[in-house]
Amino acid sequence: MRGAVQAFGVRSTMRPPMRPFSVFNLTDLSVGLADLFTKRHAALTSTKAGVGQEDVLVFQRNAIDALPKALVGGKPMSEELASKDDEHDGFGTGLWHMTEAYFRVQNLPPHIVDAARRIREAFIPTLGALQESYADEAAAANARKEELGKLEADLKLFQIAGGGTLYDWAAVFVAAGQDLSVLLSKRADVNAATRKNAQVLRSETVGILNDLRRAIAREAKRNPALAADIDAQIFGYLDTLEEQRIAAHRASKAERGKSSTNEG
């Protein structure tokens, strides 16, 4: 017999066993639930189980979306801070070396050398300042913001190859330092209790989705009116996210293995 088999009102779809969701992180759940309540909402609410769990899933989605952004989406906070610090230190180093060049060359117009000295003193007196903590660099950037306006004319005396002036470098340098302050504030918001609650929320949501999937599978066997591919219609994107997360974990594990081998 081909196709679905019906006996005593029970439909057999001959689908392979479903693998429970397990490796989702909070970002996966955020985008997955957003998709579930837009593109896949009609399929979800075509099932009794979906209608019955809709309020629960909305609650979980809202709770996840209300978490600090450091926990949902984007780079891990440590990576984001390091990346912003690299930007800050790169432009700071550029400012230092640019002004240093004008101190080393003989017989330059005095007003040019004086401008370079004012810039050095205001923005990057020593390269050692770039080795300070994130917090110290952020505080220094906030203090330097006023210097951008005061020394705009001095900074614009120095042209940069490719376009722009030293003013552009100084503006990025200061802005990157101020961004460090914003990122540090975000990290402070994500305390240990918040992280623990977020992980509980993640585990609860994964469990709810797995329970819902099993309930819909049971319902599909007994309701011929449901689409034969109702599981894929509802959970297809979540399956894709799960597969991508598993692949990312495998790649990371393989990379760690290579590193260990090379170090050995």
Side-chain angles (χ1 to χ4, degrees), residues 6-74:
Q6 294 189 31
F8 303 106
V10 178
R11 179 174 63 179
S12 172
T13 59
M14 303 298 290
R15 293 190 183 95
M18 293 176 297
R19 181 181 60 208
F21 298 124
S22 60
V23 298
F24 286 143
N25 63 20
L26 288 163
T27 302
D28 298 329
L29 291 171
S30 178
V31 298
L33 289 173
D35 178 77
L36 188 64
F37 282 101
T38 51
K39 181 178 178 180
R40 301 173 191 278
H41 186 249
L44 176 69
T45 55
S46 72
T47 68
K48 292 181 179 180
V51 171
Q53 289 296 301
E54 186 174 15
D55 288 347
V56 174
L57 288 171
V58 168
F59 180 89
Q60 298 297 115
R61 180 197 63 185
N62 292 342
I64 291 171
D65 290 345
L67 289 170
K69 295 303 180 184
L71 293 177
V72 185

Side-chain angles (χ1 to χ4, degrees), residues 40-264:
R40 301 173 191 278
H41 186 249
L44 176 69
T45 55
S46 72
T47 68
K48 292 181 179 180
V51 171
Q53 289 296 301
E54 186 174 15
D55 288 347
V56 174
L57 288 171
V58 168
F59 180 89
Q60 298 297 115
R61 180 197 63 185
N62 292 342
I64 291 171
D65 290 345
L67 289 170
K69 295 303 180 184
L71 293 177
V72 185
K75 296 179 181 179
M77 182 62 72
S78 59
E79 291 183 20
E80 201 169 357
L81 277 165
S83 177
K84 186 57 64 175
D85 184 55
D86 287 344
E87 181 181 23
H88 172 269
D89 292 356
F91 279 94
T93 301
L95 282 167
W96 191 91
H97 283 291
M98 177 68 85
T99 53
E100 184 69 14
Y102 286 87
F103 298 150
R104 299 299 180 95
V105 176
Q106 298 297 313
N107 300 319
L108 291 176
H111 76 282
I112 296 293
V113 178
D114 289 342
R117 183 172 293 107
R118 286 190 291 269
I119 292 168
R120 170 72 70 83
E121 291 173 354
F123 292 100
I124 183 75
T126 67
L127 284 175
L130 301 176
Q131 304 304 314
E132 301 289 347
S133 69
Y134 292 155
D136 287 339
E137 289 181 349
N142 287 329
R144 291 178 184 130
K145 185 177 180 180
E146 290 186 6
E147 301 300 327
L148 277 174
K150 292 178 181 178
L151 297 179
E152 181 175 356
D154 286 345
L155 289 161
K156 287 185 175 179
L157 288 173
F158 301 90
Q159 300 292 317
I160 302 298
T165 67
L166 210 55
Y167 178 85
D168 300 297
W169 283 14
V172 176
F173 176 59
V174 171
Q178 290 182 305
D179 286 345
L180 285 174
S181 179
V182 173
L183 291 171
L184 288 170
S185 178
K186 288 182 179 179
R187 186 170 69 175
D189 290 340
V190 186
N191 56 32
T194 302
R195 290 183 184 279
K196 182 177 180 180
N197 291 338
Q199 287 309 308
V200 170
L201 181 60
R202 187 203 75 84
S203 298
E204 287 178 349
T205 307
V206 170
I208 290 167
L209 287 170
N210 283 328
D211 289 344
L212 174 62
R213 192 171 203 177
R214 286 190 290 267
I216 289 175
R218 290 192 296 269
E219 183 179 340
K221 290 181 179 180
R222 292 165 174 79
N223 184 359
L226 287 178
D229 64 342
I230 190 64
D231 179 84
Q233 287 187 32
I234 297 172
F235 298 104
Y237 185 54
L238 288 164
D239 280 334
T240 298
L241 293 172
E242 174 92 353
E243 290 163 6
Q244 290 176 344
R245 187 61 57 191
I246 290 172
H249 286 179
R250 287 174 178 166
S252 178
K253 184 176 181 181
E255 188 63 31
R256 289 196 300 272
K258 289 180 183 178
S259 299
S260 298
T261 301
N262 293 335
E263 291 173 1

